[in-house]
Every structure is written in C-alpha cells, then in structure tokens.
C-alpha cells in the first residue's frame, strides 16, 4: 500500500503557512492514492526529550545486548524510525525559527539519525540508509532568503535539511519555500499570498504521480 509520512513542526496550527501547504499536499496525494495510507506525525504534539548520554549509550549497545531500560529509552526512536521505514514518500512542513529549523524538528532528527538504522560506517565511510524514498520539504519564512539576496546566507533551513537528509541517504528531495510570510501580519491578504504557493504544491504533488499539471 502506498504510504505517505506527513510531518508538521509549526506551533501555530491554524495560522501556520507551512501546515496549510502540507495539508494541500496531503489532500492532493490522497486524491492520487485512493488506496494509500497517510501516517500523521505532528511534532508539536509529540513529547520528545533531548537525547542524553544514556540514550547514546543505548544506541551504541548491540541490539541483542540492550537492557530493558535501554530498550525503553529507544522506544520512541524505534517507533519514529518505523514510520520512516513504512512510508514511501515524506512531506515535511518546516517554519523557519531563528534562521534554522524549529527545535521540535531538530529533536526528531536526533531521534531518527541512528547508526545502523539510518546511516552506517560499515566500510569506514558514512553511508546513508534511507534509500528509495521521495521527500518534499515545504518551508515558510517570515523574511526572504532567495539566492543573491542580502539575507541568503542567514538561511540555515534548506542547507541544513539538504545536508542532514543527504547524509542519511535521502537525495530525492524537493524544497518549496513560501518566503515573506511576515507580510501577512502587515495586512497582506492571506488568500492572495497563499494562492501561488498552493499552486506550486499542487503542481509538484501531481508531478510526483506523473500527472500532467
Ligand atoms: C519563534 C519564531 C522564530 C522565527 N524566526 C524567524 C527568522 O529567524 N527568520 C524569519 O525570516 N522568520 C522567522 N520567523 C517567522 C516565521 O518563519 C514565519 O512566521 C513562518 O510563516 C513560520 O511558518 P508557519 O507559518 O508555518 O509557522 C519566526 C517565527 C517564530 C514564531
């Protein structure tokens, strides 16, 4: 069964631009996959403790030698990894916070970046193990960080996501950015602002299914 993993990380829910755009992607995906399954993972509603020394110790203990306490420590990570493994496609909603990804998304990445599961050093070199998946990252930023603009070097969202997911083997990734959402709090019409971004999301979602846009 085709499976999509839908991950959101904006705390703003109804006001969130990234959530509205990922919802449009999911809606389009459901239309194209009537027999498909969507796994919803709302990172703002998931309790994820920061990793600590005990957690790292558990990760580096061979699976068969883990104590019940170590297994318990890795339970959340294991279930988040299962969602990644079960899905064929991923869509992420990512608001820019302080020029980077939101802390809840970083906590999630810390949970799923696991030696032997999503990357290995088997031959002495890092090898990503998230193979054969397609990802769409939908980013919303208050300012504008397009290449060649004065603020471009402040954007640590897309470069970071490209690097960390590339390291984990996920290279089939599309980045769609709704830049300049600060205009919405200055009276800009939300419908007019979102229209081209909703169109871009729909066109991309259709292109993933090979449907002419
Ligand atoms: C805590 C916080 C930090 C933010 N930091 C930045 C920032 O560094 N640069 C920026 O351009 N916008 C920043 N913004 C604005 C958001 O990127 C913008 O509101 C965007 O639409 C967030 O996505 P969302 O609408 O899906 O929540 C910040 C917003 C919040 C709530």
């Amino acid at each position: 069964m085709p499976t999509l993993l839908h991950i959101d990380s904006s705390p703003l829910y109804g006001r969130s631009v990234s959530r509205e755009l990922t919802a449009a992607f999911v809606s389009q995906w459901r239309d194209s996959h009537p027999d498909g399954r969507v796994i919803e993972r709302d990172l703002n509603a998931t309790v994820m403790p920061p990793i600590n020394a005990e957690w790292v110790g558990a990760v580096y203990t061979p699976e068969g030698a883990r104590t019940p306490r170590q297994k318990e420590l890795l339970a959340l990570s294991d279930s988040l990894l299962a969602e990644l493994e079960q899905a064929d496609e991923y869509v992420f909603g990512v608001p820019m916070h302080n020029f980077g990804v939101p802390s809840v998304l970083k906590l999630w990445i810390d949970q799923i970046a696991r030696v032997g599961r999503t990357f290995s050093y088997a031959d002495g070199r890092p090898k990503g193990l998230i193979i054969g998946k397609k990802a769409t990252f939908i980013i919303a930023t208050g300012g504008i960080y397009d290449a060649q603009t004065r603020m471009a070097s402040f954007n640590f969202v897309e470069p970071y996501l490209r690097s960390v997911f590339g390291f984990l083997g996920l290279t089939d990734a599309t980045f769609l950015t709704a830049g300049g959402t600060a205009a919405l709090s200055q009276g800009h019409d939300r419908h007019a602002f979102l229209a081209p971004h909703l169109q871009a999301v729909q066109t991309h979602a259709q292109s993933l299914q090979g449907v002419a846009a």
Side-chain angles (χ1 to χ4, degrees):
M1 181 193 302
T3 303
L4 172 70
L5 173 60
H6 171 200
I7 295 186
D8 273 324
S9 60
S10 169
L12 299 185
Y13 288 90
R15 280 195 291 137
S16 161
V17 169
S18 61
R19 281 181 184 266
E20 186 159 347
L21 294 174
T22 60
F25 181 98
V26 172
S27 169
Q28 179 66 48
W29 193 91
R30 283 189 199 277
D31 286 350
S32 322
H33 302 84
D35 59 336
R37 178 166 78 107
V38 179
I39 303 171
E40 299 286 354
R41 173 55 63 184
D42 180 351
L43 298 184
N44 304 91
T46 304
V47 178
M48 287 177 294
I51 58 172
N52 59 18
E54 227 188 333
W55 187 94
V56 176
V59 164
Y60 283 92
T61 301
E63 199 173 338
R66 284 184 193 136
T67 64
R69 165 77 184 151
Q70 287 179 318
K71 287 182 190 161
E72 190 188 317
L73 276 172
L74 296 183
L76 172 65
S77 169
D78 287 340
S79 62
L80 297 175
L81 284 167
E83 291 174 353
L84 269 179
E85 285 159 7
Q86 284 163 23
D88 319 290
E89 290 183 50
Y90 312 138
V91 61
F92 292 85
V94 188
M96 174 185 274
H97 283 176
N98 302 314
F99 306 113
V101 300
S103 47
V104 290
L105 181 54
K106 178 61 168 62
L107 287 173
W108 179 86
I109 289 169
D110 288 343
Q111 292 287 331
I112 61 93
R114 258 178 65 183
V115 68
R117 296 294 298 269
T118 47
F119 69 95
S120 73
Y121 281 105
D123 56 1
R125 280 196 313 229
K127 184 174 163 210
L129 301 177
I130 305 182
I131 305 295
K133 315 282 186 174
K134 285 183 181 164
T136 302
F137 293 91
I138 302 180
I139 299 166
T141 63
I144 292 179
Y145 299 86
D146 294 346
Q148 318 304 335
T149 62
R150 196 173 56 84
M151 293 298 287
S153 66
F154 284 71
N155 180 3
F156 292 90
V157 177
E158 184 174 329
Y160 170 65
L161 293 171
R162 279 190 191 280
S163 297
V164 71
F165 282 97
F167 174 79
L168 298 177
L170 200 152
T171 49
D172 189 345
T174 300
F175 290 81
L176 302 173
T177 298
T181 66
L184 297 175
S185 53
Q186 291 150 16
H188 198 294
D189 180 67
R190 184 176 174 97
H191 183 74
F193 177 87
L194 279 172
H197 300 297
L198 286 166
Q199 183 60 57
V201 165
Q202 190 178 26
T203 302
H204 168 63
Q206 286 175 337
S207 75
L208 282 176
Q209 314 320 319
V211 178

